[in-house]
Amino acid sequence: MLNESIRYVNGRLQVDGVPVTDMVGELTAGLPTPVYIYSLKRILANFAALKAAFASLNPHIHYSAKANANLAILRALIDEGAGIDAVSWGEIKRALVAGCDPENIVFAGVGKTPEELKLAVEAGVGWFNVENVYECFLLNSLAVNVGRTVRVALRYNPAVEASTMPGIATGHKSAKFGLNRTDLMAVLESQADYTNLRIEGIHVHIGSQLGDTAATRQGVEAALAIAPRYPTLHTINIGGGFPARYNDTQQPTYADFATMLQPLLDGYTVIIEPGRSIVADAGILVTQVLYTKAQGGVNTVIVDASMTELLRPALYGAAHQIVPVIEKPDSPAQPASVVGPVCETTDVLGTQIGLPEMQHGDLLAILDAGAYGMVMASNYNQRPRPAEVVVDGDTWRIARRRETVDDLLRFEQVDTGLPAEK
Ligand code: LLP
């Protein structure tokens, strides 16, 4: 959805007052498309809104780096006091490079490798969200070897059905995530055996883009049915999952979650791990029209972005609004499919998108692409991943350059004998 940062002024799409056409496109000799553009102002406004809504719970906020791990974004959030929720050594290292105190990093993940766990213990990561009985054993042995004690939250699978897309629900009982009740209790009952683990929390993330607060309540209540029996369990980590507004449908707000949680979590230390709701509506993916065709009764607009830049529509059937960068008031909107060049029938960025007549070179912006966009980009079809631009106040900069085809060849150490490209 358009918002205060990403909006039209005189028929031209702007990001915090900078016209997209000042940054992008052949016409302006600007950056090549596709390109991600993020509003830092919007990201910080979202973070501030979250803090304000949750003020009475005074939570530790660990931004979930998996949603968007660009260093400029991590740095800006860390400067505002955010910790980081990381799911790999890659994300932990990124957080450290961005200036995060290791104590403020939560290391989560269903399949942490021994090597990742060791590196994280050595780095002094503040919390380990553990999801497996054997992981407790492994982490304890590593901690003994390194000579440290580490703080643990046990990730509980509370067997609740989150109201969201099936591909991003995590709290149902057949999900691969978390410890079921039997295993959770077994670990808690034998915690004395884990000499170098301090088990201080329960973690219950039940899914992403949550459509209501009910399942979160059930998950937290399930955790609270256990926590009071163990006095060292003083922390409840509810994960992330706060929704972004991809369209006009009503969504629960931060305040709805906070109001529901406040009476339940009184007396507990609270951790939250928001990702999407901080960055989704702060980012757009700008793409250029290559061709159009009308076949089988469908108007198709072929653009230079694809599932390799934004996988969400192909992977989950997720719907993103797509708008022209320059409005064409004289051309009435017609439904169109916006598709990419990748050799896959599922390489569709949007269907039934109301667009004016499109021509080669026209720019389109895919909205709400700041979360789970660039981080899920791939090099399928040997497509270099796009640049990321950050608009910071009234200036903008390239925060990550576009990859080149030579970048992709580098891993195989070939001498192409061909000139390097820019
Ligand atoms: N904490 C845990 C343990 C998680 O698994 C996740 C997301 C988060 C926090 C952050 O959730 P958020 O606030 O962003 O909803 N690629 C999918 C989303 C996958 C979410 C994975 N876990 C998508 O594009 O919709």
Side-chain angles (χ1 to χ4, degrees):
M1 302 247 296
L2 297 170
N3 55 51
E4 292 84 7
S5 279
I6 294 165
R7 63 195 183 100
Y8 287 99
V9 177
N10 298 329
R12 287 178 171 243
L13 194 67
Q14 300 196 345
V15 178
D16 290 331
V18 183
V20 169
T21 47
D22 280 9
M23 299 180 263
V24 179
E26 272 175 0
L27 291 174
T28 57
L31 294 165
T33 50
V35 56
Y36 276 101
I37 305 179
Y38 309 125
S39 156
L40 217 46
K41 188 172 163 190
R42 184 74 187 172
I43 291 171
L44 296 179
N46 288 337
F47 188 66
L50 172 81
K51 266 193 189 164
F54 276 85
S56 62
L57 283 156
N58 195 24
H60 296 261
I61 307 175
H62 291 259
Y63 165 67
S64 198
K66 65 173 82 67
N68 187 324
N70 186 281
L71 285 175
I73 292 175
L74 296 184
R75 244 181 236 129
L77 288 167
I78 291 165
D79 284 350
E80 288 301 306
I84 297 295
D85 158 36
V87 285
S88 64
W89 174 248
E91 285 187 358
I92 295 173
K93 190 158 182 183
R94 228 162 226 275
L96 295 173
V97 169
C100 195
D101 180 344
E103 180 62 23
N104 292 335
I105 298 177
V106 164
F107 186 18
V110 72
K112 309 176 193 81
T113 66
E115 194 188 355
E116 287 180 307
L117 285 170
K118 180 162 178 280
L119 288 165
V121 171
E122 286 169 351
V125 160
W127 278 97
F128 290 78
N129 292 345
V130 170
E131 312 207 11
N132 195 287
V133 179
Y134 188 71
E135 191 187 344
C136 289
F137 167 78
L138 196 58
L139 180 60
N140 188 61
S141 319
L142 291 166
V144 169
N145 289 345
V146 177
R148 284 188 188 240
T149 299
V150 298
R151 191 164 49 172
V152 165
L154 297 175
R155 179 163 181 186
Y156 185 27
N157 178 329
V160 300
E161 301 287 332
S163 145
T164 185
M165 297 186 289
I168 55 175
T170 57
H172 47 292
K173 69 170 185 271
S174 61
K176 67 177 178 180
F177 300 101
L179 292 150
N180 64 23
R181 193 169 191 285
T182 313
D183 287 345
L184 182 82
M185 295 308 293
V187 173
L188 287 169
E189 288 301 315
S190 60
Q191 51 182 304
D193 299 346
Y194 302 115
T195 52
N196 289 39
L197 305 187
R198 286 183 285 127
I199 302 179
E200 297 185 5
I202 300 191
H203 178 281
V204 269
H205 170 88
I206 56 149
S208 196
Q209 186 66 9
L210 299 171
D212 61 44
T213 62
T216 302
R217 171 191 278 278
Q218 286 168 26
V220 170
E221 282 174 346
L224 292 174
I226 296 167
R229 296 190 225 162
Y230 301 91
T232 55
L233 292 179
H234 52 66
T235 296
I236 304 289
N237 182 333
I238 59 158
F242 313 113
R245 292 195 66 198
Y246 290 98
N247 55 41
D248 276 330
T249 343
Q250 202 61 34
Q251 298 281 9
T253 62
Y254 285 143
D256 293 334
F257 282 96
T259 310
M260 179 276 288
L261 291 167
Q262 164 66 49
L264 296 179
L265 293 176
D266 199 26
Y268 283 93
T269 301
V270 178
I271 299 182
I272 53 179
E273 302 169 342
R276 182 195 311 272
S277 61
I278 305 288
V279 287
D281 71 1
I284 57 175
L285 174 61
V286 180
T287 182
Q288 198 165 152
V289 175
L290 298 173
Y291 308 101
T292 60
K293 63 168 73 157
Q295 274 174 196
V298 180
N299 285 326
T300 301
V301 180
I302 301 159
V303 297
D304 62 2
S306 74
M307 67 194 288
T308 65
E309 287 76 31
L310 185 67
L311 184 59
R312 303 192 71 255
L315 189 60
Y316 313 111
H320 287 253
Q321 293 185 352
I322 305 179
V323 298
V325 166
I326 302 175
E327 284 183 320
K328 297 186 181 182
D330 299 332
S331 169
Q334 299 285 347
S337 286
V338 178
V339 306
V342 166
C343 303
E344 294 280 347
T345 304
T346 55
D347 182 25
V348 175
L349 294 161
T351 54
Q352 295 291 322
I353 306 287
L355 288 177
E357 194 174 335
M358 289 282 107
Q359 279 165 1
H360 177 85
D362 283 342
L363 293 173
L364 291 173
I366 305 174
L367 304 184
D368 304 303
Y372 304 109
M374 181 61 175
V375 283
M376 292 173 74
S378 78
N379 295 122
Y380 185 38
N381 283 199
Q382 297 306 311
R383 291 169 58 84
R385 285 180 297 172
E388 293 180 290
V389 167
V390 162
V391 179
D392 184 359
D394 50 14
T395 62
W396 61 276
R397 61 178 189 277
I398 300 173
R400 178 188 157 111
R401 74 159 171 82
R402 182 178 176 71
E403 290 173 351
T404 64
V405 169
D406 285 342
D407 286 332
L408 307 188
L409 284 164
R410 215 181 47 204
F411 301 106
E412 291 160 69
Q413 298 184 331
V414 278
D415 179 2
T416 63
L418 298 167
E421 340 144 37
K422 281 192 284 174

